[in-house]
Amino acid sequence: MLLRPPGVYRPQDDTGLLGEALAGVTLPPGSRVLDVGTGTGALAVAAVRSGAADVTAVDVSRRALAAAWLNARVRRLPVRVRRTDVSTVLPKGPFDLVLANPPYVPWPGGARSSSRWDAGPDGRAVIDPLCVAVPRLLSERGSFLLVQSSLSGVGRTLTALKETELRTSIVARKRIPFGPVLRERVDYLEQRGLISGGQREEELVVIRADRTDRTRS
């Protein structure tokens, strides 16, 4: 069980799907891992248990970082926490694996709200700058795992990562019914053309991007 103070994102289907993808990654000895949008630290903990020697967990929420720190400490795991927005300030790398479960829910309010899941009108307020930043975070043979909803443009993410010359693939998928947040936004999502009439489920997708010899630094 993970400690989760009020206001900290509860691990859900997206966390679980990203954890499954993490389990399929072979981490090299002494590997360094960055967990972006750590929340409770669930994936940071999983990364250590998967063989990572050094894990840095980052979030913009102080409460989330406190939760991640506590969850790592009670398990005596080597996880460092840092408050930062990776889209503007890069943690000191390089990292052999970057994990990301960013906000990706389309929100009619324009700029990103204070909510953990709201990410601008098309759900890409965090995903787009993260795709630009990732190549500068990865080690020579580093990998990136990102989970997002089909509502926030999976194809756009694949294209953005390919443009930085990362080798991309989809490694996990899962269809789930709309939760309370999306059910409240059905009219908005239909107006934006993000869902079809009567659609009440989304697909979660984990994208993997690997650095190659040609990847830009």
Side-chain angles (χ1 to χ4, degrees):
M1 296 293 292
L2 293 167
L3 302 171
R4 186 180 69 87
V8 176
Y9 185 73
R10 174 175 59 87
Q12 299 185 53
D13 290 291
D14 49 6
T15 310
L17 194 65
L18 189 53
E20 292 174 15
L22 167 62
V25 175
T26 301
L27 294 173
S31 59
R32 300 184 67 202
V33 174
L34 176 66
D35 178 23
V36 178
T38 192
T40 61
L43 290 166
V45 167
V48 176
R49 290 177 169 171
S50 294
D54 183 290
V55 177
T56 300
V58 300
D59 207 296
V60 296
S61 165
R62 288 186 173 89
R63 284 191 181 188
L65 293 174
W69 184 87
L70 285 169
N71 284 319
R73 288 303 170 272
V74 297
R75 292 165 176 80
R76 299 181 179 179
L77 300 177
V79 175
R80 289 194 302 271
V81 300
R82 298 285 185 273
R83 184 171 185 261
T84 187
D85 183 343
V86 171
S87 64
T88 57
V89 180
L90 296 182
K92 186 176 180 180
F95 298 94
D96 301 294
L97 177 65
V98 174
L99 303 166
N101 184 3
Y104 54 70
V105 176
W107 182 60
R112 196 174 86 181
S113 76
S114 59
S115 166
R116 169 60 181 87
W117 46 80
D118 290 336
D122 57 2
R124 301 192 60 84
V126 181
I127 293 175
D128 282 336
L130 184 57
C131 288
V132 173
V134 161
R136 290 175 285 166
L137 291 169
L138 294 178
S139 63
E140 184 177 348
R141 296 294 179 183
S143 298
F144 175 48
L145 290 175
L146 165 77
V147 63
Q148 68 168 88
S149 170
S150 56
L151 305 185
S152 50
V154 172
R156 290 175 63 182
T157 302
L158 291 169
T159 297
L161 292 170
K162 287 176 182 176
E163 286 177 349
T164 66
E165 298 185 8
L166 294 173
R167 184 174 63 249
T168 63
S169 60
I170 294 175
V171 295
R173 298 177 181 268
K174 183 177 183 179
R175 298 200 71 84
I176 61 170
F178 284 176
V181 173
L182 287 179
R183 287 199 298 269
E184 290 178 355
R185 299 181 187 180
V186 164
D187 290 343
Y188 172 74
L189 295 172
E190 289 183 354
Q191 290 169 8
R192 292 277 303 184
L194 298 174
I195 63 172
S196 56
Q199 180 179 338
R200 296 297 182 271
E201 65 176 12
E202 62 178 323
E203 185 177 46
L204 298 177
V205 174
V206 176
I207 294 171
R208 175 169 176 166
D210 296 294
R211 187 162 185 154
T212 68
D213 291 338
R214 297 183 303 161
T215 303
R216 302 167 193 166
S217 59

